Amino acid sequence: MSGGPGGRGALLPGDPPGGRKAMAVWGLGVAVYFVAITYRTSLGVAGLDAAERFHINASALSTFSILQLLVYAGMQIPVGLLVDRLGTKKVLILGVVLYTAGQFGFALSQSYAMALGSRALLGCGDAMTFISVLRLGARWFPARRGPLIAQIAALIGMAGNLVSTLVLARLLHTFGWTPTFAASALGGIAVLVLVLAFLKDHPEGFEPAPAPAGHTGAAFVRRQITDAWREPGTRLGMWVHFTTQFPAMVFLLLWGLPFLVEAQGLSRGAAGELLTLVVLSNMVVGLVYGQVIARHHAARTPLALGTVAVTALLWAATLAWPGEHAPVWLLIVLCTVLGACGPASMIGFDFARPANPPERQGTASGIVNMGGFTASMTTLLAIGVLLDATGDDYRAAFASVFVLQALGVTQILRLRGQAHRRERERLVTSRVEAVHVPA
């Protein structure tokens, strides 16, 4: 791992050293993301309860998650610009305030309209967390640690999904809607206090350079977005995120529990265990993918495309299985494979990161992050509409996944060559600059 200037094991000029303090500060940012994931996925174990509470059909139920993801995806570029402009701490504070208010509002909602508004507010706050955590990691750790740090952040965030599937589901059954969601909102207040007291944007001595004159206003914003989009690595990262993330997101966020209970005949307890398996698989695969990519960048595209291929194969096998229900062993394999979707989506950021300078990292990450959530939003809507149109035919509704996978794979194959060539050119340039540092 060690080497000469510019090698993967050496600190590049301007690299922060990392260390225990970096882990502590970055850990606060990850805690904010952990709570956001808990709130984001809480509807996944409460979908059937929400349908009963607000007297709504499948399309209206899917609107909860669609609106939440619409706000999330629409906020990605503005949040990226805010992170680049204001820094991590201010954006995370705003995010915590918004998603905590949204979770409290959801707890108190008596009408469908109020519940929709609360989920939109939650989505807005949630949108401000992950890009901020990525930026925090880039400010506190050496660049070579980027892939592993990003995967670990996603892994810990997925633990928030475990809270939803294991804890919130039981509390909801025991205490009911309002006490469960109101109590969960206390987590947001706790992390807000910690962030206000202890979080810092960067280590001492590693302050970012002040923005040059003219780096404000609408013209600069347009240029920032345009320059990030022109990079093939940014676009490839967005399509990788688009293609890999959404099958598991749709399953965990809303439709997994109804599919397993209503279409596959499982009990709620058994369905909850399978959702937990998706999360546990995600956490294990995330560690593996992070280590592999940190050591072998050439593995990025094969890992992403391989994950898509295996996911499509298992999804097709489950839907096409003869008979009314797929066997339990196949559902277990499907949920295990779905766990790889989240780690594979993180590969998208590993394409965008080297393609953009530090002052554009937030904007580029926002563009990438839009990909998977746009795909998830589209699929959530398609499944809800198709379920209503076909009389709850889950096989027909879930087949919509293949359309988006085909679109995404086509774009990945189209962009990968150009992105790889540009990245190799930048790597050669950075090594030359590292060797010829002025005295």
Side-chain angles (χ1 to χ4, degrees):
M1 291 291 290
S2 62
R8 288 202 188 280
L11 288 177
L12 295 174
D15 258 355
R20 292 183 179 178
K21 187 172 183 180
M23 287 296 297
V25 174
W26 173 78
L28 285 179
V30 175
V32 173
Y33 178 57
F34 171 89
V35 175
I37 291 290
T38 303
Y39 294 172
R40 180 199 300 173
T41 58
S42 58
L43 186 60
V45 296
L48 298 177
D49 299 87
E52 181 180 347
R53 180 180 178 87
F54 302 114
H55 309 291
I56 52 178
N57 60 15
S59 296
L61 179 61
S62 66
T63 302
F64 276 123
S65 296
I66 292 167
L67 177 61
Q68 184 178 334
L69 293 185
L70 177 64
V71 172
Y72 186 104
M75 286 291 293
Q76 289 310 292
I77 291 178
V79 167
L81 291 165
L82 281 174
V83 170
D84 287 337
R85 184 69 180 165
L86 300 179
T88 300
K89 183 170 184 175
K90 292 178 181 178
V91 177
L92 278 179
I93 289 171
L94 180 58
V96 174
V97 169
L98 290 175
Y99 72 50
T100 303
Q103 190 77 342
F104 266 126
F106 198 57
L108 301 175
S109 294
Q110 297 295 327
S111 68
Y112 179 59
M114 182 178 176
L116 276 178
S118 298
R119 295 306 285 186
L121 193 62
L122 192 157
C124 187
D126 182 15
M128 298 182 178
T129 59
F130 190 63
I131 293 177
S132 298
V133 171
L134 288 178
R135 179 58 170 266
L136 198 64
R139 289 295 188 194
W140 281 88
F141 293 96
R144 70 178 187 275
R145 301 291 187 193
L148 183 59
I149 289 296
Q151 287 285 1
I152 292 174
L155 181 155
I156 297 173
M158 283 304 295
N161 214 321
L162 282 178
V163 173
S164 295
T165 56
L166 296 178
V167 179
L168 284 182
R170 294 183 180 181
L171 292 176
L172 191 64
H173 178 73
T174 303
F175 298 104
W177 184 280
T178 299
T180 298
F181 283 103
S184 70
L186 297 176
I189 297 174
V191 293
L192 177 60
V193 172
L194 292 173
V195 169
L196 286 169
F198 300 111
L199 193 134
K200 294 183 178 180
D201 283 338
H202 48 74
E204 292 183 11
F206 290 87
E207 293 81 2
H215 278 217
T216 57
F220 170 71
V221 169
R222 285 194 299 269
R223 186 166 65 252
Q224 189 88 330
I225 296 171
T226 301
D227 290 347
W229 179 255
R230 282 177 177 168
E231 290 294 339
T234 304
R235 284 178 279 134
L236 176 60
M238 187 198 73
W239 283 109
V240 166
H241 200 269
F242 177 101
T243 314
T244 54
Q245 186 205 46
F246 78 95
M249 176 68 71
V250 167
F251 204 77
L252 288 172
L253 200 60
L254 184 61
W255 289 120
L257 187 70
F259 170 73
L260 294 171
V261 172
E262 296 179 351
Q264 299 302 320
L266 299 182
S267 67
R268 278 202 179 200
E273 290 173 358
L274 286 179
L275 294 180
T276 303
L277 177 61
V278 177
V279 178
L280 292 174
S281 173
N282 182 297
M283 297 170 73
V284 173
V285 174
L287 283 176
V288 175
Y289 277 20
Q291 292 283 1
V292 170
I293 294 168
R295 289 171 168 79
H296 308 286
H297 270 201
R300 290 173 298 175
T301 302
L303 279 178
L305 291 176
T307 302
V308 174
V310 176
T311 302
L313 178 64
L314 269 297
W315 201 273
T318 302
L319 297 182
W321 192 268
E324 187 176 357
H325 300 145
V328 174
W329 68 262
L330 181 56
L331 296 176
I332 292 174
V333 175
L334 171 66
C335 290
T336 303
V337 169
L338 285 175
C341 291
S345 72
M346 296 299 299
I347 297 172
F349 297 101
D350 294 322
F351 284 114
R353 189 182 300 111
N356 292 273
E359 64 272 12
R360 211 166 59 216
Q361 288 293 322
T363 305
S365 296
I367 292 173
V368 171
N369 215 23
M370 284 180 63
F373 289 94
T374 301
S376 298
M377 179 177 59
T378 304
T379 308
L380 284 167
L381 175 61
I383 290 174
V385 170
L386 288 170
L387 283 174
D388 285 338
T390 60
D392 292 338
D393 185 343
Y394 278 90
R395 292 186 177 186
F398 274 39
S400 59
V401 167
F402 302 121
V403 177
L404 274 73
Q405 285 182 322
L407 171 62
V409 168
T410 301
Q411 295 300 319
I412 292 171
L413 295 176
R414 183 178 69 85
L415 289 165
R416 62 175 180 170
Q418 187 180 359
H420 290 164
R421 285 192 297 273
R422 290 290 292 272
E423 188 171 312
R424 283 195 297 269
E425 293 169 2
R426 280 190 169 85
L427 180 60
V428 171
T429 302
S430 67
R431 284 176 173 170
V432 171
E433 290 174 347
V435 171
H436 297 90
V437 176

